[in-house]
């Protein structure tokens, strides 16, 4: 049974990240996702210290606020003349440092473990269950991830056209009257929520791996946005399964193995993608050359 | 608090560690200036994360914890990481940000797998490798400090000697190539310096935050000056100050990792620069804006005065 819950949690994390990651990769903002996943840490710590529990609602709100603060600060520094990558670096390291200090200061009183925040412990998720709507035995992480996933699917589904246009041509989107900034902050808020609901299971740092690597892999395999989202979910879930069984075999960190599996899948796509892969392009070029010399 | 700090300062071992961290901040600050000018600030972050598997493999192969071996492991891993990034951007439609993200998290994932392997194997529990994530300057021994001293002096010295070449490559690589400088070699050299600064910094500041030592002091210095030489001096001073503050505070408070405190000190300096920097700082800009507004209004009034008089004369 524990296998089932671990795989379900991992797959839900992968699905949340995959959907949002597609838009981050397309908007060339992968590293903003990286920054958000680091800088939600003080939000998690403050929400935890205020509420005294790992109560999901508090953490989701705290993280969403911190995520928006991150994006706002990056924008602010960038406008005041700092290069965008440097402003990303300043903001996330500062906020992450605040988070680590808050956790270290209170490490004695609370059971919020730094290691847990960083790598997560997906193996323990199924012990931490709560009763919601009279249903027992469902881990808390699954409830939280389920809520986030439904929210993401709803928002992206409702505003699919708007998100699509903002991803490919923000200028045109603004010209036809779509509030580009609003959708930008909406996306970033959802990224922070996804990070927080995943941090207990895969950790704040490795969640970035699932946010960036599967969508990039999917990007190499297709040119259509809809297909890209589906593919990226499938690749994320596949990395979860491969990673989990590899971790069991190697007796190593499950989250680490999941990201390594995602990287392995990316390398496969990089080499063998039908339209983009290095090997496939080489083969097709050789074939064309042979045809050319034959004729 | 103050007595405690003075007490720490009297301890000769702590003095060495303090000196090491200051020199580390100094040299990363100097290298960071070039990284900032070449728009490669986040490269330091990638290199730091990528160093983790290199360090773990070096430890697994030799079973000892020596900064020299880690330097070699991390250097090789950093090389693979930079090659990976350039391959991904060259041979696919993915852009630099995605390539950096993939390499950074992928390598870090592998590093975590190896780290847990080492920890589970038993011998690793005393290895202190987990201290590498957030840095613990207090855990450094004198040989580590000696290595840091040598490396920091080497980095600052090389930047001083190669100042002209590195400056040209940072500002105008095309022109440098035209003048016959070995641009590719100098770029690789800068990357190599960055790897060294990151690896040496990891022990004091930790994998996750070492990038801040490269980025934040350089950006803070940029607020005060437009000259590269001055910027490097200032950035080095800011870095050294943050290193000193971080080490002192972390020594005074038990159970406190050094890295986050150092980074916060650097961020504090950045906030001061952001507000108070001459010409570029927020306050200076506000004042400039107000003054321009007042001048504009005054000029309009001066213009407005003759207009009715002209009306009267007609």
């Amino acid at each position: 049974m524990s296998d089932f819950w671990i795989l379900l949690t991992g797959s839900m994390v992968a699905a949340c990240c995959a959907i949002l990651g597609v838009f981050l990769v397309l908007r060339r903002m992968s590293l903003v996702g990286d920054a958000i996943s680091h800088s939600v840490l003080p939000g998690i710590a403050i929400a935890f210290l205020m509420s005294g529990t790992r109560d999901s609602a508090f953490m989701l709100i705290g993280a969403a606020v911190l995520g928006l603060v991150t994006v706002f600060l990056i924008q602010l520094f960038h406008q005041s003349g700092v290069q965008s990558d440097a402003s990303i670096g300043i903001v996330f390291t500062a906020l992450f440092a605040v988070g680590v200090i808050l956790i270290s200061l209170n490490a004695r009183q609370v059971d919020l473990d730094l290691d847990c925040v960083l790598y997560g412990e997906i193996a323990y998720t199924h012990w931490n269950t709560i009763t919601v709507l009279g249903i027992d035995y469902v881990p808390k992480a699954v409830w939280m991830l389920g809520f986030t996933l439904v929210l993401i699917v709803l928002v992206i589904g409702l505003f699919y056209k708007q998100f699509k246009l903002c991803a490919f041509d923000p200028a045109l989107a603004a010209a036809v009257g779509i509030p580009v900034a609003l959708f930008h902050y909406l996306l970033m808020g959802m990224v922070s929520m996804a990070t927080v609901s995943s941090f207990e299971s895969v950790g704040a740092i490795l969640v970035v791996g699932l946010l960036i690597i599967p969508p990039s892999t999917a990007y190499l395999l297709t040119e259509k946005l809809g297909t890209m989202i589906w593919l990226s979910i499938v690749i994320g879930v596949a990395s979860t399964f491969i990673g989990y069984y590899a971790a069991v075999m190697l007796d190593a960190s499950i989250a680490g193995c999941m990201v390594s599996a995602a990287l392995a899948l990316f390398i496969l796509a990089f080499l063998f993608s039908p339209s983009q892969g290095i090997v496939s392009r080489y083969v097709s070029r050789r074939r064309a050359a042979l045809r050319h010399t034959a004729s | 608090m103050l007595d405690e700090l003075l007490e720490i300062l009297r301890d000769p071992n702590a003095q060495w560690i303090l000196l090491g961290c200051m020199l580390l901040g100094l040299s990363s600050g100097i290298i960071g200036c070039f990284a900032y000018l070449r728009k490669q600030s986040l490269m330091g972050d990638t290199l730091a994360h990528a160093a983790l598997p290199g360090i773990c493999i070096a430890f697994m192969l030799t079973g000892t914890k020596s900064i020299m071996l880690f330097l070699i492991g991390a250097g090789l891993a950093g090389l693979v990481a930079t090659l990976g990034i350039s391959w991904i951007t060259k041979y696919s439609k993915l852009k630099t940000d995605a390539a950096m993200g993939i390499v950074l998290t992928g390598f870090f994932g592998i590093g975590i797998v190896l780290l847990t392997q080492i920890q589970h194997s038993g011998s690793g529990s005393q290895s202190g490798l987990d201290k590498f994530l957030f840095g613990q300057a207090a855990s450094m021994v004198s040989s580590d400090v000696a290595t840091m001293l040598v490396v920091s002096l080497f980095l600052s010295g090389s930047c001083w000697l190669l100042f002209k070449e590195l400056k040209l490559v940072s500002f105008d690589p095309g022109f440098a190539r035209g003048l016959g400088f070995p641009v590719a070699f100098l770029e690789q050299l800068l990357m190599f310096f960055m790897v060294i600064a990151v690896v040496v910094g990891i022990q004091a500041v930790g994998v996750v935050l070492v990038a801040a030592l490269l980025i934040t002091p350089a950006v803070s210095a940029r607020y005060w000056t437009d000259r590269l030489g001055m910027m490097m001096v200032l950035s080095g001073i800011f870095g050294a100050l943050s290193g000193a503050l971080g080490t002192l505070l972390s020594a005074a408070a038990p159970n406190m990792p050094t890295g986050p405190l150092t980074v916060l000190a650097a961020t504090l300096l950045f906030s001061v620069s952001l507000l108070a920097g001459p010409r570029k700082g927020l306050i200076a800009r506000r004042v400039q804006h107000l003054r321009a507004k007042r001048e504009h209004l005054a000029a309009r009034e001066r213009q407005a005065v003759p207009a009715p008089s002209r009306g009267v004369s007609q």
Side-chain angles (χ1 to χ4, degrees):
Chain A
M1 200 57 187
S2 69
D3 279 9
F4 170 73
W5 288 122
I6 292 172
L7 286 172
L8 181 66
T9 320
S11 306
M12 286 168 93
V13 171
C16 287
C17 293
I19 300 174
L20 298 174
V22 165
F23 292 97
L24 287 181
V25 169
L26 285 177
R27 297 200 62 178
R28 297 179 195 174
M29 299 204 313
S30 321
L31 291 173
V32 179
D34 181 30
I36 288 180
S37 72
H38 281 73
S39 54
V40 293
L41 193 62
I44 292 171
I46 292 170
F48 189 78
L49 293 176
M50 272 168 45
S51 65
T53 54
R54 294 198 210 176
D55 197 346
S56 324
F58 267 105
M59 291 216 172
L60 279 181
I61 297 169
V65 170
L66 248 293
L68 296 182
V69 169
T70 311
V71 179
F72 175 73
L73 284 179
I74 292 175
Q75 204 92 14
L76 181 78
F77 292 156
H78 184 48
Q79 271 164 9
S80 80
V82 183
Q83 283 160 20
S84 64
D85 61 336
S87 62
I88 290 176
I90 291 175
V91 173
F92 92 78
T93 50
L95 287 173
F96 191 76
V98 172
V100 174
I101 287 174
L102 279 177
I103 293 177
S104 313
L105 275 180
N106 300 285
R108 297 272 165 70
Q109 305 139 32
V110 296
D111 71 316
L112 187 65
D113 190 11
L114 204 52
D115 284 357
C116 166
V117 174
L118 286 178
Y119 334 119
E121 243 341 319
I122 203 169
Y124 301 150
T125 42
H126 62 281
W127 290 342
N128 189 1
T129 63
I130 49 164
T131 311
V132 176
L133 308 171
I135 308 166
D136 274 334
Y137 304 119
V138 175
K140 211 166 73 180
V142 171
W143 284 111
M144 200 155 149
L145 279 166
F147 172 73
T148 314
L149 185 58
V150 168
L151 188 82
I152 291 171
V153 170
L154 267 181
V155 172
I156 300 275
L158 278 176
F159 301 109
Y160 183 70
K161 240 190 307 186
Q162 283 86 342
F163 274 114
K164 187 176 180 178
L165 197 54
C166 289
F168 287 105
D169 197 341
L172 178 64
V176 297
I178 295 171
V180 178
L182 176 72
F183 280 103
H184 177 67
Y185 280 101
L186 197 61
L187 183 67
M188 294 306 159
M190 288 196 295
V191 170
S192 341
M193 282 174 70
T195 314
V196 169
S197 18
S198 334
F199 92 95
E200 242 178 309
S201 16
V202 296
I205 297 177
L206 291 174
V207 81
V208 197
L210 295 174
L211 207 52
I212 303 174
I213 305 179
S216 308
T217 316
Y219 191 39
L220 294 181
L221 296 173
T222 177
E223 312 248 287
K224 278 206 159 63
L225 181 61
T227 328
M228 186 173 160
I229 293 177
W230 281 117
L231 263 179
S232 136
I233 295 174
V234 169
I235 293 164
V237 173
S239 327
T240 309
F241 276 73
I242 301 171
Y244 176 62
Y245 287 109
V248 171
M249 264 167 47
L250 294 170
D251 183 27
S253 148
I254 298 177
C257 283
M258 278 163 67
V259 174
S260 308
L263 180 68
L265 289 178
F266 172 78
I267 293 172
L268 280 183
F270 184 61
L271 293 177
F272 300 111
S273 148
S275 61
Q276 293 277 322
I278 296 181
V279 176
S280 1
R281 270 194 293 186
Y282 178 75
V283 169
S284 65
R285 215 176 322 142
R286 283 305 301 240
R287 250 188 229 144
L290 282 179
R291 261 203 311 275
H292 182 70
T293 45
S295 64
Chain B
M1 186 73 189
L2 206 64
D3 291 340
E4 274 178 55
L5 285 181
L6 285 176
E7 197 60 39
I8 293 160
L9 278 178
R10 274 193 212 107
D11 178 14
N13 194 32
Q15 287 171 359
W16 276 106
I17 290 177
L18 187 64
L19 185 66
C21 287
M22 283 179 74
L23 275 175
L24 171 74
L26 180 90
S27 47
S28 336
I30 292 174
I31 301 282
C33 287
F34 290 119
Y36 180 66
L37 289 176
R38 287 162 42 80
K39 301 191 172 60
Q40 283 186 332
S41 295
L42 285 176
M43 207 53 166
D45 194 33
T46 313
L47 289 176
H49 283 75
L52 191 63
I55 290 173
C56 287
I57 290 172
F59 180 78
M60 282 168 118
L61 288 180
T62 60
T64 52
K65 184 168 159 260
S66 104
I67 212 170
M68 221 45 225
L69 281 171
F70 288 173
L71 203 62
I72 296 169
L76 288 177
L79 194 70
V80 177
T82 41
L83 277 180
I85 293 173
S86 57
W87 277 340
I88 291 175
T89 42
K90 194 169 162 194
Y91 292 113
S92 77
K93 55 182 174 179
L94 289 165
K95 300 294 176 295
T96 324
D97 68 314
M100 274 166 81
I102 291 164
V103 169
L104 186 156
T105 51
F107 272 64
F108 195 68
I110 297 171
I112 294 286
V113 171
L114 294 173
L115 196 63
T116 44
Q117 286 258 298
I118 292 174
Q119 277 166 348
H120 289 182
S121 71
S123 69
S125 51
Q126 332 57 334
S127 72
L129 275 187
D130 48 340
K131 288 271 184 285
F132 272 60
L133 285 171
F134 294 109
Q136 190 68 53
S139 74
M140 286 191 292
V141 291
S142 57
S143 65
D144 293 342
V145 177
T147 319
M148 274 167 84
L149 285 178
V150 173
V151 169
S152 308
L153 289 177
F154 166 71
L155 285 180
S156 331
S158 322
C159 283
W160 184 57
L161 284 176
L162 292 171
F163 179 71
K164 190 182 60 186
E165 285 81 0
L166 294 177
K167 183 178 176 181
L168 195 56
V169 168
S170 304
F171 280 110
D172 197 342
F175 182 54
R177 195 169 291 124
L179 286 183
F181 283 103
V183 174
F185 171 75
L186 286 170
E187 280 176 345
Q188 281 303 315
L189 195 69
L190 263 182
M191 198 61 88
F192 175 66
F193 286 167
M194 218 142 89
V195 172
I196 296 179
V198 162
V199 175
V200 179
I202 282 176
Q203 202 165 27
V205 192
V207 167
V208 187
L209 292 173
V210 73
L213 273 189
L214 286 171
I215 304 172
T216 314
V219 180
S220 318
R222 187 70 187 81
Y223 274 96
W224 297 94
T225 175
D226 283 334
R227 303 194 57 84
L228 180 61
M230 197 59 205
M231 180 179 164
M232 282 168 64
V233 171
L234 278 175
S235 168
I237 293 173
F238 288 157
L241 266 180
S242 346
L245 273 174
T247 320
L248 280 177
L249 287 176
S250 138
N255 202 10
M256 193 58 115
T258 325
L261 290 170
T262 309
V263 171
L264 275 193
T267 313
L268 192 70
L269 289 173
F270 166 72
S271 320
V272 173
S273 314
L274 176 72
L275 286 175
R279 292 202 295 127
K280 287 207 191 65
L282 289 181
I283 295 176
R285 277 196 184 189
R286 189 76 205 146
V287 168
Q288 225 172 16
H289 182 77
L290 285 178
R291 190 178 300 150
K293 201 167 151 189
R294 202 177 314 128
E295 272 167 19
H296 178 70
L297 282 179
R300 227 172 49 179
E301 248 165 54
R302 265 196 313 270
Q303 261 183 357
V305 172
S309 69
R310 196 167 62 210
V312 167
S313 69
Q314 279 174 351

